[in-house]
Amino acid sequence: MASGCPFGGGSPTLGAATSPRPLQETNRDATAAAAAGGKLPTGRARVRLLYEEYVHLPLLCQVWESPSTERPVLEPLFAAGFHGIELAFLLLAEFLSDSRGYVAKRPRVELVADDIAAQCRLLTEVVDAELEEELAEGEGTTSRLSLTQPFPFEGCPPTKAEPCHSPGLRRLTEAVQAKLGGMSTAERNSLVKLVINITAAFNSFQRWTVGLGIEHQLQDLQAAVGLAPTQYPHRPNLDYASLVRPWLCEQTLTCEVYTNKEDYFFRSIHLGTDCWAFVALARLASARQQAEAGNWHVAAARATQAARILDYLGSHVLMLTSMNLRDYLQLKVELEGTSGEGSVQVKALRGTVAQLLEPLEAALLGPAAPAATSAVAAGAGGALPAPAAEGESEGCDAEGGRQEALQQALMAVYEFPDRSPGLYNYARALEVLETGLLGGFYYKHYCLATNVIGSEARGTMRRAVQALKAGYETLVFPQLDRCRVALGARLDAELADRKGRIMHDILARVAAGQAAAGGPVAAAAGQATAGRPTGEQAAPVSHAGALPSPAGGGCPFAGDSAKSAAAVSSVAADTAGPAAHGAVAVDGEAGFEAARRKLYSWQGVPPAWQAEVTAELAHQAQQLGLTPSPAGEVPAGSGLAKPLAFLDHAWGQLAPLAQCRAWREAAALYQLGNPAWEALFGRIMPQAAAHIKSLLGLPPGSPACSVQFGSNSHELVLRLLSTLLDARRRQGSSRATPCPGSSTAGTGNSTADGGSARLPVMRVLASDCEFYSIARQLNRLIEAGLAEVEAVACEPADTFPERCCAAVAAAAVAGHPFDAVYISQITYLTQRTLIPDIPALVGSLRAAASAGPSAAAVPLGGALQQSSLLAEGEGAGEAAEELLIIIDGYHGFCAVPTNLGEAAQDCCYVAGLLKHAGCGANCAFLTLPAHLAARPVLTGWLADPYILAPDSPASIQLGSEVGYTPGLALQGGTPAYLLPLLVFNHLMQLWREASPSITVEALHAHVLGLHTRLLAGLGAAGHPHIKPATLLPPQDPARRSHTLVFRAPSAAIGAAVVKALAARGVLIDKRGAHVRLGFGPDHSAADVDALLAALRAAAAATDS
């Protein structure tokens, strides 16, 4: 774009002005017929011709099409804007001179005065805003502030020293002078206010260093109503006559005799609409040009300008509602044959707006084929595409695929605005533009028609008014609408635990203030917490989506209190903290690294608390004889002197701010006592459950499964298995025959005929490398004659899923199906990933279980319902559905990306918050499929706490039926996991607050990068036992967890390796002869270098 004046790159000689043309009558019909070669057009061409000639559009078009300056940019828009203002002046003069006594003048003239003010604001924005945007975008070093810098300069618009002339202002001033004397006091006051508003609107142009040249006429208008004239600075004037040629606007009034009193009003409103539609189309074209050049913020600003113009046009046409109905309807009869449909510019608005999506699509997906692009524009414009021909199906499929890809790309833009702020702002500007077109212009046009001629009438083209509804009901950008809907639904589900939080807290605070007086708000608060449903997603005491509260509300330990509920809400709101704590406004890999560093820094932590922790840490490290870190990345400003830990978990490597917030909240809740349980069950646990589901690839509000909490994973698994044990005992001896090859022990029971029989047992399939806890428990169940266990070898790991499914199928065929399958996602010993795809394995296990005839398998909790048992000979498919599948994800959760997908309703996933979440001990969870009504034999009071509620009708007695509460079925005694859950929730909050957001995928990629750095330096480190040759598989990153395992020659040597590194300030661990180096999100490249240095030092010490 040329520098200098936005009006053009050159102009006539300074001071030279184009002389006004004399007023003249024009035979428009003869001219049109001559242009058509003596034949008048038909069809749409006829409608267009009649409309343009009726409103006198060609008079003004000649100005827009033949500007004064060379290479014009803004001059045509400047002229069109002032044409609209001149027409408004002429309308005001006509309204004041109107001799009809039955027409109220005041509402009409006030509407036009407001219209003038709106036009002045828009015109200033169009001229000034473009200049500012271009400077902000940094397009060049040459200033284009042409109308705010001293005149003259190269390429400036024509100016003149003497004043200019506005025919519209002259006529308005003459009308005021002629009518003022005969007005009442009220009418005079109204007219004075009108003049004040009009002259004030022209102050919009005072920023310019040139005048309009018509300021003296504004002073005359003020003097006509007795106002002191505004004093304008002495400066050169724009050559208003040359740039605007305002006499042509006056010719629209003088070129013919108007016999209907509303005729000129009707024409002028339509002509003014065309003036600003011309400006809007130019802004839209500029927006597209800027978008195609990648100047997204400027493009967004231009689109937003166009949106404001479109909104103005809606208000502009609504001025016609002030017409006298009878007089207009008489005019309408004479206008049969044309309408606003004849405006080419107005007709072009929708299509031009729709095309603005194309640069965004090209930026996201690359350029589309011309045919595809046209199809998109047509679809966005509301037109229905023609059916595809037989040979076009491939092209249609390709376009369908592109549209699907576009939808996904747009979702990414909306979901992560910080990654592409320019594209996001442009997309949002398109939404504003759509609103301006549909709600601002089309809807108001429909309102105009219904107001003037009625909703059931037809217009001058015999079109039904109701047909206008399609204009504003058909979206321009349905793709963006679908993104808004999808993103809203996703966040609605992810943040289900926050629903109504602010409103609920307000109600609780108000209720607390009125509790003593028993006011109506307190009563309303009590009603809000009473009568809640008992499902897991029922409304909580403090937040929607929480675990169910006891009947009547309140804590299962004690009665409810509005005051305590308000205090809990206040503490929760305080600990949530502002989002600004975690914001890092950067993108890409560097952005993630900055966000990760900030997460593990002490930024935001109160200095006093940090100092206390630092001092205590030094004391504890000294007591334990720990060697501080050698040279790793100590968190900025922490002053921490502790070993550099490369363990197989993140415990001890917690984000300080999350820890600080959690401990502060826990301290406050502990001070509250019993009400703290309301916070735990009503807010904290549901929030944690929502986070867990999200991390497992599920919508937070997914009904596929519930999240059961416990103090440790062993407790949860054992309670779940006790349900199976109970089912087998109730089933009797239908499956008493042991399966050959299973690990089992006889019970010594004898049958009546002297034979040997034993109690029915549950059959479990597991790997041969499960953690000590479950291995020990299964061994004890085998010893007690309660279980048969088959083990599938972990190695080779690549074929483990297939061999596991084969074992399940073989057992089903043999008539000894498994009741449960327990497999670790990642092995604890060698850190191999056994299950890279959980949904695929779960589906294969279900299919394998259906391979052959099966004895009855009892559903969890279903032993009391005989209808749920499979009779002998029934299909194995039902038995397959009842196979209990437990995936031990302890070493995978928060470390490797995990997506349960549809498997969430077919398997249990058990993990804890100690390992890679690093949130502390005493908290584990298990996802329980919704269809499993677990009734564990090993249970505790917390599995049904509501019997202890103050208003519970039941009581605990020996012999009473044991009930279970949904969402709490696997609970035991008094929970001890408040603190780790708080830490987890605050950590997840910091993950979301970071920019870019921290995800498991990003952290896993970070850890794999650290692996690469370590493995690249191991050879040079020269350690005899931690080296590439002793690294256990998998070498493939796709199968790798966060821990690298090296095989030492013996357990003793492995212990020596661990000890030698600890003496150098580096902590690692071992299992037998397996030496393990664990990595987490807290580690950096500097930490890896420190580890390599410690390995070199240990190797050198060994050599010496």
Coordinates of all heavy atoms in Angstrom, one line a residue, residues 143 146 287 354 464 521 624 782 1014:
S143 N 4.9 7.5 8.0 CA 3.6 7.8 8.7 C 2.5 8.0 7.7 O 2.7 8.6 6.7 CB 3.7 9.0 9.6 OG 2.5 9.4 10.1
S146 N -2.3 11.1 7.8 CA -2.4 12.2 6.8 C -3.3 13.3 7.3 O -3.0 14.5 7.1 CB -2.8 11.7 5.5 OG -4.1 11.1 5.6
A287 N -10.6 -6.1 4.7 CA -10.4 -7.1 5.7 C -9.8 -8.4 5.1 O -8.9 -9.0 5.6 CB -11.7 -7.4 6.5
A354 N -19.4 -13.9 3.8 CA -19.1 -15.3 3.9 C -17.7 -15.6 3.4 O -17.0 -16.6 3.9 CB -20.1 -16.1 3.1
A464 N -43.5 -12.2 0.4 CA -44.1 -12.2 1.8 C -43.1 -11.7 2.8 O -41.9 -12.0 2.7 CB -44.5 -13.7 2.2
V521 N -34.1 -15.6 53.1 CA -33.0 -16.1 52.3 C -32.4 -17.3 52.9 O -32.0 -18.2 52.2 CB -31.9 -15.0 52.1 CG1 -30.7 -15.5 51.3 CG2 -32.5 -13.8 51.3
L624 N 18.7 -36.8 58.2 CA 18.7 -38.1 57.4 C 20.0 -38.4 56.7 O 20.2 -39.4 56.1 CB 17.6 -38.0 56.4 CG 16.2 -38.0 56.9 CD1 15.2 -37.6 55.8 CD2 15.8 -39.3 57.6
I782 N -4.9 -67.8 47.3 CA -4.7 -69.2 46.8 C -4.5 -70.1 48.0 O -5.1 -71.2 48.1 CB -3.4 -69.2 45.9 CG1 -3.7 -68.5 44.6 CG2 -3.0 -70.6 45.6 CD1 -2.5 -68.2 43.8
L1014 N 20.0 -38.0 28.1 CA 20.8 -38.9 29.0 C 21.5 -40.0 28.2 O 22.7 -40.3 28.3 CB 19.9 -39.5 30.1 CG 20.6 -40.5 31.0 CD1 21.6 -39.9 31.9 CD2 19.6 -41.4 31.7

